[in-house]
Amino acid sequence: MSSIEIDNTRCDRSPGCPSRRVCPQGAIVPVDGGTYPGSNGYRVIEDRCTGCGICARVCAGGAVTLG
């Protein structure tokens, strides 16, 4: 199974992250802390991720990739 990786240096840290919204498993969550959800970037909960790749296809910045 593929895994999803998020490069938070490429992430725009939008609170309305399209990749997070389209994940059918809710596997993309904000990194703790910050002034708003997502301000510190996002991470993947590996146990939830099925590796479908939908999130990678919608990430405009290319921060989400299949690993």
Side-chain angles (χ1 to χ4, degrees):
M1 174 173 52
S2 298
S3 64
I4 298 297
E5 296 177 4
I6 300 175
D7 179 351
N8 280 308
T9 63
R10 297 183 73 179
C11 178
D12 68 4
R13 299 168 189 218
S14 166
C17 172
S19 295
R20 179 178 179 209
R21 289 185 313 200
V22 301
C23 178
Q25 303 301 318
I28 297 176
V29 296
V31 173
D32 292 335
T35 56
Y36 60 86
S39 65
N40 287 339
Y42 291 90
R43 65 183 182 86
V44 176
I45 299 174
E46 296 290 332
D47 292 345
R48 291 188 192 172
C49 181
T50 61
C52 69
I54 294 170
C55 56
R57 289 192 293 273
V58 301
C59 182
V64 182
T65 57
L66 286 167

